[in-house]
Amino acid sequence: MTLKNLLAALLGVALLWEGRAQAAGEVTFHRFASELLGRDYPYALYLPEGYRESNLAYPVLYLLHGSAGSERDWVERGGLAHTVDRMIAEGRLPPVVIVMPGSSSWWIDGHNEAARSAFLEELLPHVEATWQVVPRREWRAVAGLSAGGYGALNFALERPELFAAAAALSPASYHPLPPRHSAARRHPAFLDAAGRFDTELWQRRNYTAHLPAYLERDEVVPLYLSAGHRDAYNAAHHAWLVRQALAPHQPDRVVMEVLNGGHTWRVWRASLPSALAWMNRFLQGPVALERLIEETAVQAPAAHGDEAVRPSDETG
């Protein structure tokens, strides 16, 4: 065989393997009726290869989109399935279920809808009752980009008993206020009845409002932060403020990465593998459903989600 033919054969094998890896996971789209929102709550779902035949319960990551985004963003623009399939195939990530919800708010209870309450009180219970995920803190993580990073950081600091790890990519967690050109200043979530940006609401919903109580609690949520060095909203600076606030409390549980680029999908796609690898360090892997049911049967429910039941055979 000539060198040219050998290289062609190796390239064919590589492409075949990459195609298998890309096709391994399953992405589907779902919705359920939300009483808090008064409409259907949509979400995209990534299921790892073999999920339906495995009889396993998996760790779950809630991955949030940015302002004006949708549940399709991470799939269609973020290359989520390709990245996760590749990392699982390479052994850098255990099989994981990823939930990508859609929101019309900045993941807060704002002037337009109760997005925070719907996420915590409706989406999490729905997912954990419907799909084969372990409904416990050690198997649950939250992450997001831009406004989704703002939401993920808020959820992690406000409810550290729910999440074992978090990641915020170019988080729009601006302190003390968002830049003049930030979408937050024009978003219905922050506009009062007169159409003015609600400064008090921003400060009451931003991560700084959750910091004092978080720093007094025993639970620590390991956090990955990232941003582009040319971010139009100076997200790297604001992410650094988050790191400075948390580092004395959890010195080896908060990291930050600055990448080349701006406030763009190029940066978010580039930082996604590092974010997933970081969170994986603190998440438990898949467990047998039978073991989970047996353990739950002898334990009294302690908090939200601990009353684990086998997911519905119809939908899970």
Side-chain angles (χ1 to χ4, degrees):
M1 178 181 290
T2 66
L3 178 60
K4 181 178 180 180
N5 289 339
L6 176 60
L7 291 175
L10 290 175
L11 178 60
V13 172
L15 291 175
L16 176 61
W17 173 253
E18 182 181 16
R20 288 179 60 192
Q22 289 178 334
E26 176 187 356
V27 174
T28 52
F29 298 90
H30 307 269
R31 57 183 59 242
F32 66 93
S34 166
E35 292 185 8
L36 290 172
L37 299 179
R39 58 174 174 81
D40 283 352
Y41 197 138
Y43 64 96
L45 185 75
Y46 170 89
L47 299 177
E49 182 180 18
Y51 165 91
R52 298 187 184 279
E53 301 79 34
S54 68
N55 205 35
L56 295 173
Y58 295 86
V60 58
L61 166 64
Y62 294 88
L63 189 57
L64 314 182
H65 63 71
S67 181
S70 80
E71 68 278 7
R72 293 181 174 269
D73 281 7
W74 274 108
V75 175
E76 297 177 354
R77 306 180 68 184
L80 183 281
H82 173 81
T83 297
V84 177
D85 285 342
R86 185 181 70 247
M87 292 183 69
I88 292 175
E90 294 172 353
R92 294 191 290 148
L93 189 70
V96 60
V97 169
I98 301 178
V99 179
M100 295 158 277
S103 175
S104 298
S105 185
W106 269 50
W107 310 100
I108 65 165
D109 290 349
H111 287 293
N112 63 333
E113 66 177 21
R116 169 202 164 275
S117 295
F119 178 86
L120 294 172
E121 299 173 20
E122 294 183 324
L123 178 66
L124 267 66
H126 166 81
V127 167
E128 293 173 355
T130 306
W131 304 99
Q132 293 169 203
V133 300
V134 182
R136 298 177 186 169
R137 179 183 190 264
E138 294 79 8
W139 283 264
R140 192 188 294 123
V142 63
L145 68 88
S146 192
Y150 168 95
L153 182 60
N154 287 342
F155 289 141
L157 296 188
E158 181 190 1
R159 300 295 302 275
E161 77 280 6
L162 292 182
F163 303 102
L169 316 184
S170 307
S173 303
Y174 310 121
H175 176 68
L177 293 171
R180 292 287 180 184
H181 59 302
S182 168
R185 291 184 174 271
R186 303 180 300 278
H187 198 281
F190 296 105
L191 299 183
D192 62 20
R196 295 185 297 260
F197 176 70
D198 191 335
T199 299
E200 190 276 334
L201 179 64
W202 175 270
Q203 294 174 335
R204 183 155 42 92
R205 295 288 188 258
N206 201 11
Y207 76 96
T208 48
H210 306 304
L211 264 176
Y214 173 80
L215 296 177
E216 292 180 358
R217 298 184 63 155
D218 294 332
E219 299 98 344
V220 168
V221 182
L223 175 66
Y224 168 90
L225 297 161
S226 70
H229 77 302
R230 295 194 307 271
D231 191 288
Y233 306 100
N234 205 11
H237 165 72
H238 293 283
W240 185 255
L241 294 180
V242 175
R243 185 187 182 282
Q244 285 184 308
L246 294 178
H249 182 63
Q250 52 190 73
D252 58 344
R253 292 293 184 269
V254 56
V255 296
M256 180 170 170
E257 182 178 15
V258 178
L259 297 90
N260 292 329
H263 203 80
T264 65
W265 276 103
R266 179 180 178 183
V267 167
W268 302 325
R269 286 192 296 266
S271 58
L272 180 60
S274 296
L276 292 172
W278 167 264
M279 290 185 287
N280 175 51
R281 292 174 53 191
F282 309 98
L283 287 175
Q284 299 294 316
V287 299
L289 277 170
E290 288 78 7
R291 173 188 157 194
L292 180 63
I293 294 170
E294 290 173 0
E295 290 179 353
T296 303
V298 297
Q299 294 177 356
H304 161 75
D306 284 354
E307 49 285 295
V309 295
R310 185 186 179 102
S312 166
D313 291 334
E314 179 179 350
T315 55

